[in-house]
Each structure stands twice: as structure tokens, then as C-alpha cells.
Amino acid sequence: MNVDKRPVIFIILATLSILVGTLATTFIPLFVGTTTPSIANVIPYKPLELEGRDIYIREGCNNCHTQTVRPLPFETARYGSYSMLEESAIDRPHLWGSKRTGPDLAHVGRKYPAVWHTMHLKNPRSMYPDSNMPAYPWLADRNLDTRYTEKKMKVLGYPYTAADMKALQGKTEMDALVAYLLRLGKELRQ
Amino acid sequence: MPQENTYDYRAVKGFAISSLFWGVVGLLIGILISLQLVYPQLNFTSWLTYGRLRPIHTNALIYGFTIPAAFSLFFYLVQRLGRAPLAFPGLAQVTLYVFNIAIVLAALSLFAGMNTSKEYSELEWPLDIGVVVLWVMFSINIIGTIMKRREEQMYVSLWFILATVVGVAIVYIGNNLGVPVSWFKSYSIYAGANDANVQWWFGHNAVAFVFTTLPLAVFYYILPKATGAPLYSHRLSIIGFWSLVFAYLWTGAHHLVYTPLPDWIQTVAIAFSLFLIAPSWASVINGYGTMNGQWEQMRSNYLVKFIVMGITFYGLQTLQGPSQAVRAFSALIHYTDWVPGHVHMGTMGWVTMTISAGFYYMLPRIYKTELYSVKLADLHFWLVLVGQLIYSVTMWITGIRQGAMWQAVNPDGSLAYPNFIQTLTPNYPFWNMRAAGGVIFFAGFLVFVYNIAQTIRQAPQRRPS
Ligand code: HEM
Ligand code: HEM
């Protein structure tokens, strides 16, 4: 049988070839414990932190920052303990990143207070004159859009209280982003 | 055999022009972001910040330049290789209009910051649906025309076209499954490590089906046509094809070396990455074998220059890629500028050169004319070659330098460059050189566009005898 004379059979065979590796390396892992850890120990996102995370995504911070520390000595010396599966277990999407134009942020929440982040985001060059990170001063002028917050929490299945929702009132986009940054590295219950 | 005039080339022409247009846009943004990395004051306002522009650069060149180039060249190839007219020419016209509307909306939505954060899958869900609909319309025409063909045997190019049609559909849909919360926002259905694993299964197979099988389909057609020599080995192309489409899907996790993703998935990916050298080089060997006794044409034939230089960069790319997958080397270059050096040898060298050869061969033929200027084609070749080499070489150097600085420790075990900024600023001179390389490449691309535009404009007066 000459498959190159039979397009339908050819398409079926090509599809099957593509599906073998797909099933083995991406589909099966979805259902095994080693890639899907228990989330019992993970502290869910607060609504404000979640909104901050969405601003991180909107601004594309992940184009310059990774959020995963490799288990290599020079790396843990710089960024602290190496990343564990649990730490990102509830993240949809993940934000591990692929390029470190700036430093890794997996544990940055342990490093600075809120006011440092606000100043840095308003103008990174006030801290490091040679930094190439964009300045985000306008985040402090924009009120947080909370129209979809509750729906987001529900879709992601994160628990929240009325007080959590109330805490969103009067917050700016800067407040939300900083709240998110402060959480990084504190995902797990001690 | 159908007469030449029963072939339908309207969509072929439309997509070629769209491709060149969005190519110019994507390259201009590439130059801007390369400069922003050294001159942050170029982040003029929120929608022009680096974080929003980088995805526009990649999306414009993948979905705005490479994909419509495929629509154009594939609609041509299926007609020529099947000796049958396009199955649904009206549908092809609709595809062209919907495509350009979708790209405009895609650009606007990315400027506005609507993105999923997943690399090369940044578009939000309504546009994802648009992409899928476009792909279905395109596939109907490709498969429909192949079904109606009069040439029983499907030539190698048609295999690669079919692999592209199937492969892009599977990986694009697989990675973009999400739950919408509004028209402009959705969340991935996968979480954490699984999301990363699916993302890079997609990411690497975007490379497989957009940056590999797509240009290979063009390569296998143009090479014998341009040289006038028969393909070196049909058997080699059969083995190469099937092992390539089988092996690529296993390798995604080489993007996740040393992440929390379980080791076995990483190790399988690394092993298959090394194996991939064989099917990749099957095409390179086929290229060089075909050139046997023809090498003189590298000087005299501009089409041969593009196609052979392109496959050479593909050969280098598929040796470099597997070595990057190895843990020891990954530890040094992962997350550094080495990787953009790798990426742009592939995209600026292999992909763009091959598409250029395809357009140079095809467009004069469908406009029934001759190329406006071979001299300009040569100039185009040298500019893009030099521009790309400057880009890749500078990034490899600074990537290794930065990787080494991250690793450097004092005798007492403490970091030699504890402050990240110490490892960042030495990039600046290299990033400036990269921007210069980009400008040279862009100049070459403009020469290309001008040459094509003049060819089309003067077609009515310049019918070949
Ligand atoms: C004028 C020429 C070009 C310039 C100046 C340029 C510049 C850039 C820059 C500055 C980046 C970001 C690198 C980083 O993260 O540090 C980038 C990424 C990228 N570019 Fe280009 N580019 C050019 C041409 C192209 C072409 C022709 C293509 C594809 C056909 C392309 C595809 C990509 C892709 C896929 C990435 C993402 C790489 C990654 O994630 O590592 N670029 N480019
Ligand atoms: C045998 C074939 C290949 C293998 C095994 C391979 C391997 C790799 C590896 C290991 C990386 C990740 C580097 C890192 O982040 O540390 C990578 C990145 C990349 N490669 Fe290749 N490569 C191959 C061929 C190609 C080709 C032909 C292209 C065409 C342009 C290409 C385009 C890319 C792109 C766009 C990325 C960047 C992804 C990102 O981080 O955003 N690769 N490749």
C-alpha cells in the first residue's frame, strides 16, 4: 500500500504519529500524582492578589521575569530555595517564564516591603539607574476594575469571604500588583 | 491536464502581499523592542511597553508573516503538484479577508494587554476561535484540492503540507483550552506544572509545524525546481518525514529543564531531542546531495543561494537545539540571551530565507513576468545574511557571558556578582549590536518587498518571451 497515493490514510497515519508522543508526554501526566500534587498546603489567592496577578499578565512582566528557581547551587544562592511543584499547583496559567532579562521573582515576596515595590514600579531607575525595566507610574492612577473579580474567583474555585471582596474597594492597580508580588514565595502553609 | 488559466491564484497573491505587509510591521516592532532593552525611555506609554510589544513582535511574525506565507505558497503548491485547480476559490478569498481582519484585531487586543501569557498562544479566546475557524477554512481548501488532484502520487511537499495542517490544529487547540470569565479574559484549564508542560508541548511544536514542516514543504519543491536537478533521495525523505512527525511531539519539556516538572518527562524530552538530529539532517543531506555537482549555482543562481543557505541554517539550528536540551549546557544558557540567538538563526536564517526563495520563484510565474532585479535579490540575500549573523553571534556571546556570571562564585562559595544588575548592564553593548543587525536585516527585507512590488507593478509590460 502506498500511503503517498492515499491522502485520507496519509492524514490518519500522520495524526496517529502526532498523538503518540502527545499522549505519552502531555496527556497521561495530567492524571498522575507526580505532576498534579496535593493542594492541601497551598494558600489560595485572595481576590486582590488574583487581580494583581492578572495585571502582571496584562503587562507581560513574564516576558522579562521567570518564576522558577532551579535546583542548582549558584541559583539557590541567588534566589533562595528551589521551586517545588506545590508552589504553583493552583496557578492557572503558570507563570514560570522562559527568559530572565530581569531576575527571577519566585520568592520576591520574601525580599522587600510593599513601599519598595511601589517606588520601584513607579520608576525602577530611582533604585538602579542602569535598569532597563519599564516604569509603570500610571498603575497608581488607575482604579482596579473589580467587575469580574467574583466570577474569576468562582471559575478558579478559590474560596473568598465578603470581607475579602470589601477589601478591594478603593484599591488601585498598583495596590493589587504589589499585593501579588508580596505573595510570591509564600504560597505554602508552614 | 488543466490549462494554466484554470488555476486560481487570487488568494495566492493576496496572502503573499499580506505576509510581506505584516512582516514589515513585525520587524519594525522587533527593532523597537531590541532598542527598549537598552533605552527604557522608549517605553512611551502603557500600550507601547516592552511587555506588551514583545508578544506583538512574535505574533506578527508567526501569525502575520509566516502563516499567510504558507497559505499563499501552499495554495500554489497544491494546485501545481496535484495538477488541479483550487477546490474552493471563493472560500479562499473569504479566508484572505477574515485573516486580515483577525490580525488587526489580534494586534489591537495585544496592545490593550489582553493576553493569556502563554508564549505564542497569547491571543484571548474569541480570537482563538477565529484562528481555528481560519485554519478549518484553509484546511478544507488544501485537503479538497488534494482529493481532486490528477497526479496520483503525492510529492514530498504535499506530505509536509498535510503534516502542517494536522499538527497546527492539534497543538493550537490543545494549548488554548480555557474557561472564559469575560469577552477579554479566560483562564487555562490546566494548572501549574501541567499547564507548563502543555504550553511547551505546544511551544516546541509550533516550531515543528510552523517553523519546520512549513518551510520544508517549500524547500522540497523549490530546490529541484531552482537547481534543475532531481531530488537526491526519495527514500531518505520518507524516513525523514515519518520520524520527524513522530519524534517532535515528545520533546516539549526540553524547555522546562530543571523546573519542578517531574524528571522523567524532562529526560524523555532530552533523549528525543537528541534523536531529532537524524530526521532533521535527513532533509539537510537531501539538500546537499541534490547540490552534488551543482555547487557552482551557489554563485550564479539567486534562488539556490536562498534555499541552500536556508537549509544550512536549518542544519545548524537542529544541531544547536539538541545540545541546548542537554542538562549540563541548559544550566548555562537557559533563560539567557543565547536562546534568542538560537531562535533568530532559525527564524531570520532558515524560515525567512526559505519563504523568500518561495516568493521569488512563485510570484513572477503567477504574474507571468520575470523578477524585476536579480541584483536587488542578491543585495537582499547579503543584507539578511549579515543582519542575522550579527544578531545570532552577539546573542550567543552575551548569553554565555551572562550565564557564566550568574554561576560565578568566590573562593568562599558566595556569588561573585550578587546583584543582578551587574550581570545585566554588560548586555547593553551586545544589545546595541543586535539592534544594528536587526536594522541591516530589515533593510534587506525592504529590498525584498521593493523587488517584489516592482515585479508585480511592471508585470503587464514585462511578459517573458
Ligand atoms: C529585525 C529583525 C528582528 C529583531 C531586531 C528582533 C528582535 C527580537 C527581540 C529583541 C526579541 C526578544 C528577545 C528577548 O526576550 O530578550 C525577539 C524575540 C523573538 N523573535 Fe525576533 N527579531 C527580529 C526578527 C524576527 C523574525 C524574522 C522572527 C520570526 C519569523 C522573529 C521571531 C521571534 C520569536 C519567536 C521570539 C521569541 C524568542 C524567545 O522566546 O526566546 N524575530 N526578537
Ligand atoms: C532538532 C531540532 C531542535 C531542537 C531539539 C531544539 C531545541 C531547543 C531548546 C532545548 C530550546 C530551549 C532553550 C532554553 O530555553 O533553554 C529551544 C528554544 C527555541 N527554539 Fe529550538 N530546537 C530545534 C530546532 C529549532 C528550529 C528549526 C527552530 C526554528 C526557528 C527553533 C526555534 C526555537 C524557538 C522559537 C525557541 C524559543 C522558545 C522560547 O523560549 O520562547 N528551534 N529549542
Side-chain angles (χ1 to χ4, degrees):
Chain A
M1 189 183 71
N2 276 329
V3 292
D4 56 354
K5 292 183 180 157
R6 293 183 171 70
V8 176
I9 295 179
F10 189 95
I11 291 174
I12 293 171
L13 285 179
T15 308
L16 290 176
S17 314
I18 289 172
L19 286 181
V20 180
T22 301
L23 290 177
T25 61
T26 55
F27 193 70
I28 291 172
L30 292 176
F31 305 101
V32 299
T34 45
T35 33
T36 316
S38 154
I39 56 169
N41 242 343
V42 184
I43 305 169
Y45 287 90
K46 292 253 184 286
L48 187 64
E49 293 165 350
L50 179 65
E51 287 296 348
R53 189 172 201 268
D54 284 346
I55 289 167
Y56 185 97
I57 292 173
R58 185 186 77 195
E59 298 310 332
C61 312
N62 52 294
N63 288 298
C64 286
H65 291 288
T66 57
Q67 288 187 21
T68 175
V69 180
R70 297 178 289 177
L72 300 166
F74 60 85
E75 185 118 338
T76 48
R78 187 181 298 278
Y79 299 118
S81 56
Y82 62 82
S83 290
M84 315 267 268
L85 215 50
E86 289 79 6
E87 287 168 343
S88 51
I90 62 166
D91 289 2
R92 290 168 54 184
H94 77 292
L95 288 174
W96 293 356
S98 69
K99 178 78 201 315
R100 281 184 189 153
T101 301
D104 187 90
L105 299 181
H107 303 317
V108 81
R110 304 175 191 163
K111 201 169 160 186
Y112 304 108
V115 43
W116 188 94
H117 285 297
T118 314
M119 279 174 65
H120 182 250
L121 285 164
K122 279 187 179 161
N123 182 11
R125 268 144 310 280
S126 66
M127 310 262 177
Y128 294 104
D130 289 331
S131 173
N132 67 356
M133 176 161 145
Y136 296 91
W138 36 274
L139 289 179
D141 306 328
R142 290 178 52 161
N143 290 326
L144 192 63
D145 177 358
T146 55
R147 276 176 298 166
Y148 297 104
T149 314
E150 201 155 352
K151 188 154 177 215
K152 289 176 175 179
M153 296 296 283
K154 285 193 178 126
V155 163
L156 294 170
Y158 303 153
Y160 58 94
T161 62
D164 290 338
M165 297 305 294
K166 227 172 165 179
L168 293 171
Q169 276 172 13
K171 296 290 187 206
T172 63
E173 295 189 344
M174 180 69 88
D175 298 328
L177 181 57
V178 171
Y180 169 64
L181 291 174
L182 288 178
R183 175 197 154 90
L184 291 173
K186 301 176 193 158
E187 289 81 5
L188 303 183
R189 292 192 183 85
Q190 293 311 316
Chain B
M1 187 176 156
Q3 293 301 303
E4 175 68 19
N5 56 22
T6 64
Y7 293 133
D8 193 301
Y9 292 141
R10 284 172 303 159
V12 174
K13 294 172 181 171
F15 275 117
I17 292 165
S18 309
S19 165
L20 293 176
F21 176 80
W22 293 112
V24 169
V25 173
L27 292 177
L28 274 175
I29 296 177
I31 293 173
L32 176 57
I33 60 172
S34 68
L35 290 168
Q36 283 178 333
L37 287 177
V38 191
Y39 309 99
Q41 58 275 28
L42 296 177
N43 291 282
F44 300 107
T45 71
S46 62
W47 53 278
L48 287 176
T49 49
Y50 179 87
R52 296 202 192 171
L53 289 182
R54 189 187 189 274
I56 301 183
H57 167 66
T58 57
N59 279 273
L61 287 162
I62 296 172
Y63 299 105
F65 166 67
T66 311
I67 294 284
F71 285 4
S72 170
L73 289 157
F74 288 6
F75 282 160
Y76 177 77
L77 291 181
V78 286
Q79 298 186 73
R80 304 300 310 194
L81 289 169
R83 289 198 282 115
L86 204 60
F88 309 102
L91 180 67
Q93 284 298 101
V94 177
T95 315
L96 175 64
Y97 298 130
V98 178
F99 166 82
N100 278 294
I101 295 168
I103 293 292
V104 171
L105 294 177
L108 291 177
S109 71
L110 292 175
F111 274 125
M114 295 162 197
N115 77 86
T116 63
S117 88
K118 292 200 185 184
E119 259 186 283
Y120 321 134
S121 281
E122 282 93 350
L123 298 181
E124 265 301 350
W125 67 273
L127 283 162
D128 284 339
I129 294 174
V131 171
V132 172
V133 169
L134 276 164
W135 199 257
V136 170
M137 297 202 280
F138 161 67
S139 308
I140 289 174
N141 247 321
I142 293 290
I143 297 171
T145 310
I146 290 181
M147 299 304 288
K148 283 184 14 190
R149 77 198 183 288
R150 291 160 209 243
E151 177 71 53
E152 197 190 9
Q153 180 106 16
M154 293 191 293
Y155 178 66
V156 197
S157 292
L158 291 181
W159 314 349
F160 281 104
I161 289 177
L162 286 176
T164 308
V165 165
V166 174
V168 169
I170 293 176
V171 299
Y172 195 84
I173 293 173
N175 192 39
N176 278 296
L177 296 178
V179 188
V181 287
S182 73
W183 282 101
F184 309 119
K185 179 80 192 166
S186 64
Y187 291 113
S188 172
I189 62 162
Y190 314 102
N194 283 318
D195 189 54
N197 193 32
V198 172
Q199 154 61 25
W200 287 110
W201 161 78
F202 161 82
H204 196 66
N205 291 293
V207 169
F209 296 111
V210 179
F211 288 156
T212 299
T213 57
L214 183 164
L216 279 176
V218 179
F219 165 79
Y220 276 105
Y221 184 78
I222 301 290
L223 179 71
K225 288 282 183 189
T227 54
L231 187 63
Y232 172 65
S233 164
H234 188 66
R235 169 167 303 182
L236 194 59
S237 52
I238 298 180
I239 302 171
F241 175 83
W242 289 105
S243 49
L244 188 94
V245 293
F246 177 77
Y248 245 105
L249 286 296
W250 296 77
T251 57
H254 65 211
H255 293 267
L256 297 170
V257 175
Y258 286 125
T259 64
L261 189 74
D263 271 348
W264 72 265
I265 306 181
Q266 298 180 28
T267 306
V268 168
I270 294 167
F272 272 91
S273 301
L274 293 170
F275 170 75
L276 259 187
I277 297 175
S280 307
W281 270 74
S283 294
V284 182
I285 291 169
N286 237 332
Y288 291 163
T290 306
M291 288 301 289
N292 233 332
Q294 312 280 333
W295 284 103
E296 177 278 326
Q297 294 202 40
M298 264 312 261
R299 256 184 325 126
S300 55
N301 183 335
Y302 69 98
L303 279 175
V304 173
K305 282 183 204 169
F306 279 99
I307 207 86
V308 172
M309 212 55 214
I311 200 72
T312 302
F313 284 124
Y314 176 67
L316 295 174
Q317 185 81 350
T318 53
L319 291 175
Q320 185 181 59
S323 55
Q324 290 166 188
V326 175
R327 282 198 176 82
F329 194 48
S330 174
L332 178 66
I333 54 89
H334 199 30
Y335 304 133
T336 70
D337 276 278
W338 171 282
V339 181
H342 168 71
V343 172
H344 288 83
M345 172 163 70
T347 54
M348 299 165 96
W350 155 237
V351 178
T352 313
M353 285 228 183
T354 308
I355 289 175
S356 304
F359 281 179
Y360 274 144
Y361 176 85
M362 174 184 81
L363 289 173
R365 278 176 177 72
I366 63 178
Y367 282 96
K368 301 197 180 63
T369 181
E370 276 162 359
L371 186 66
Y372 169 68
S373 162
V374 173
K375 272 215 177 78
L376 285 182
D378 277 324
L379 178 65
H380 164 204
F381 174 80
W382 285 108
L383 288 173
V384 295
L385 177 65
V386 170
Q388 179 256 311
L389 286 174
I390 294 176
Y391 190 128
S392 299
V393 172
T394 52
M395 291 306 99
W396 293 327
I397 296 172
T398 200
I400 292 193
R401 177 204 53 74
Q402 192 169 26
M405 283 174 94
W406 288 345
Q407 296 193 357
V409 285
N410 295 317
D412 66 354
S414 61
L415 291 172
Y417 306 95
N419 205 327
F420 188 88
I421 201 97
Q422 297 170 294
T423 72
L424 169 77
T425 47
N427 278 321
Y428 291 170
F430 292 96
W431 283 343
N432 273 328
M433 284 187 264
R434 183 238 324 254
V439 170
I440 295 172
F441 181 91
F442 183 62
F445 198 85
L446 287 183
V447 171
F448 175 43
V449 173
Y450 175 77
N451 208 356
I452 296 291
Q454 288 296 73
T455 305
I456 296 175
R457 215 169 58 83
Q458 302 198 354
Q461 300 110 49
R462 285 171 43 115
R463 302 261 182 256
S465 42

